[in-house]
Amino acid sequence: MSEFPTRPVAQLAGSNGPIHALTYSSPPSTYILTGSSDRSIRLYNPTSTTPSPLPNSPPTGRLIQTYTGAHTYEVLSLSVSSLNDRFASSGGDRTVFLWDVTTALPLRRLGSASTAHSHTGRVNAVLFSGHDDSLVISGGHDTTVRIWDVKSNSNKPVQVLSDAKDAITSLAVPQNGNPEVITGSVDGRVRSYDIRMGRCTTDVIGTPVTSLSLSKDGKTVLVGGLDSKMRLFDRRDGTCLKTYEHPGWKNTELRVQSCLGGKERYVVAGDELTSEAAGVTGTTSQEEGKIWAWDLLTGKLVATVTVPWGGDASNKKVTIGRDGKEKARKNVVSCIAWKEGGFGNQFCVGGTSGVVNVYGEL
């Protein structure tokens, strides 16, 4: 991928509401999982496409399976096991589920109906961790991070991390196998837990944290916050190595995800489409979303890419404001995933349009 891609090569349709969660399957990362406000999870093959019936639209990726019947509120986070045989999901219904990919049925619910051993608020993030993916880690609005042993039949978490003073928004674990958990919170802190040593290191960001993305070697972490800035930190001493921002890019209200991509050449983020940023050069209309990309080393903005609605935009639901006038439709790009942990040749984005746009190579 010599230059940052600017046109979608496929679209993944089928959701009946905004997309809140995106993830690729584990390497070779052939498939994409999506989580939606319609309480469903969908599995796609973006490379197996059919032509779009609409003019000037990219082909449509193949929907392989839909997973339903477990979540009663929106799906907010997804994580796939290293063997691609299971995945975990979390949502606004305070639940965490472990699924079998093949049977399309939940294997178990982590926790119980009682709040004594479960999250008491929406669960914003979930991740596999540990040897053979024996652990599932979840973080939620109740300010706690819970670690579940999926090889055990117990409904109780094996550990609860409760240092945060506000909601947990994001989680990360190193790919090098170190027994660590990194958490981002609305209280403006990034906490790194050494599970084996029982030690917690806290970095004060100073603004609510919305997103975490670890480098492959685990030595740096990209932190997104609600001050319209992303920061790259050295995890060894907490030094801020680089800040990524632009006058036209605003993130002050919503949880907009960011990630490292292009073999850690780029910092990539979605856009909450605030009115202040509506007139940025390169956008065709306010209703279309945007992807922003910065050079990791220089911090310079290298691309602003328009994200189309997908499907027939004329059929999108009309929203009427309190003044009786039609409100402008905004395709807020809130979630993003890059193939092979940022080292693949493809990435995808989702948001309020309910359509996932795939960029790069098929």
Side-chain angles (χ1 to χ4, degrees):
M1 188 180 294
S2 58
E3 295 183 358
F4 195 84
T6 58
R7 293 179 62 86
V9 293
Q11 289 184 334
L12 311 179
S15 173
N16 295 315
I19 303 292
H20 296 303
L22 280 176
T23 187
Y24 278 90
S25 57
S26 295
S29 303
T30 305
Y31 304 100
I32 295 174
L33 270 177
T34 70
S36 171
S37 65
D38 66 2
R39 308 181 299 279
S40 299
I41 301 163
R42 292 174 175 84
L43 177 68
Y44 294 90
N45 184 343
T47 62
S48 177
T49 60
T50 56
S52 172
L54 299 174
N56 302 319
S57 294
T60 302
R62 182 164 66 96
L63 175 62
I64 298 173
Q65 184 65 267
T66 301
Y67 304 85
T68 59
H71 287 285
T72 56
Y73 284 79
E74 69 271 20
V75 180
L76 297 174
S77 184
L78 296 164
S79 180
V80 182
S81 69
S82 58
L83 295 179
N84 288 318
D85 58 340
R86 299 168 297 161
F87 70 87
S89 65
S90 67
D93 50 7
R94 306 179 299 183
T95 59
V96 180
F97 284 99
L98 184 67
W99 297 78
D100 183 284
V101 172
T102 305
T103 64
L105 295 173
L107 294 171
R108 58 182 291 195
R109 172 178 174 173
L110 302 180
S112 61
S114 168
T115 58
H117 304 300
S118 302
H119 286 283
T120 58
R122 55 187 281 164
V123 186
N124 296 317
V126 65
L127 277 179
F128 276 98
S129 185
H131 180 66
D132 294 332
D133 295 324
S134 59
L135 302 175
V136 167
I137 304 169
S138 58
H141 196 71
D142 60 2
T143 77
T144 69
V145 174
R146 296 171 186 262
I147 303 176
W148 313 87
D149 184 350
V150 296
K151 292 187 175 182
S152 167
N153 291 324
S154 174
N155 281 329
K156 299 180 181 179
V158 295
Q159 192 169 358
V160 178
L161 309 176
S162 55
D163 298 279
K165 306 304 179 185
D166 211 325
I168 302 294
T169 60
S170 44
L171 298 170
V173 294
Q175 298 181 37
N176 56 17
N178 289 344
E180 290 183 276
V181 179
I182 300 97
T183 71
S185 172
V186 177
D187 66 8
R189 269 70 173 170
V190 172
R191 295 176 174 86
S192 298
Y193 294 90
D194 187 322
I195 302 301
R196 184 177 299 165
M197 300 297 294
R199 182 172 58 214
C200 175
T201 303
T202 302
D203 292 307
V204 179
I205 310 302
T207 187
V209 176
T210 58
S211 182
L212 294 175
S213 181
L214 270 178
S215 61
K216 188 174 183 178
D217 61 11
K219 295 181 179 180
T220 57
V221 60
L222 178 69
V223 180
L226 287 183
D227 60 351
S228 302
K229 295 179 182 179
M230 292 169 290
R231 299 170 175 88
L232 186 70
F233 285 94
D234 187 326
R235 295 191 57 226
R236 180 184 57 182
D237 56 13
T239 302
C240 182
L241 302 175
K242 187 68 68 175
T243 299
Y244 308 92
E245 58 184 323
H246 189 274
W249 185 72
K250 303 294 182 183
N251 184 198
T252 58
E253 299 178 4
L254 306 178
R255 187 180 73 155
V256 173
Q257 295 179 356
S258 56
C259 73
L260 300 173
K263 299 181 179 179
E264 298 184 352
R265 177 182 174 185
Y266 301 115
V267 169
V268 188
D271 194 321
E272 68 180 28
L273 283 184
T274 57
S275 57
E276 293 88 346
V280 175
T281 302
T283 60
T284 58
S285 69
Q286 187 177 351
E287 71 175 22
E288 294 181 317
K290 293 191 294 295
I291 306 166
W292 298 71
W294 289 260
D295 184 281
L296 178 75
L297 297 179
T298 66
K300 293 182 179 180
L301 183 71
V302 295
T304 305
V305 181
T306 299
V307 180
W309 269 100
D312 188 355
S314 64
N315 291 331
K316 296 296 179 182
K317 183 178 179 181
V318 174
T319 304
I320 305 299
R322 293 182 178 180
D323 56 1
K325 297 181 180 179
E326 180 180 345
K327 296 178 65 176
R329 298 175 298 177
K330 297 181 179 181
N331 182 14
V332 177
V333 178
S334 58
C335 52
I336 185 168
W338 200 293
K339 190 174 183 178
E340 297 178 18
F343 280 77
N345 57 3
Q346 184 187 106
F347 70 94
C348 59
V349 298
T352 54
S353 72
V355 174
V356 175
N357 284 272
V358 182
Y359 293 82
E361 301 175 13
L362 292 179

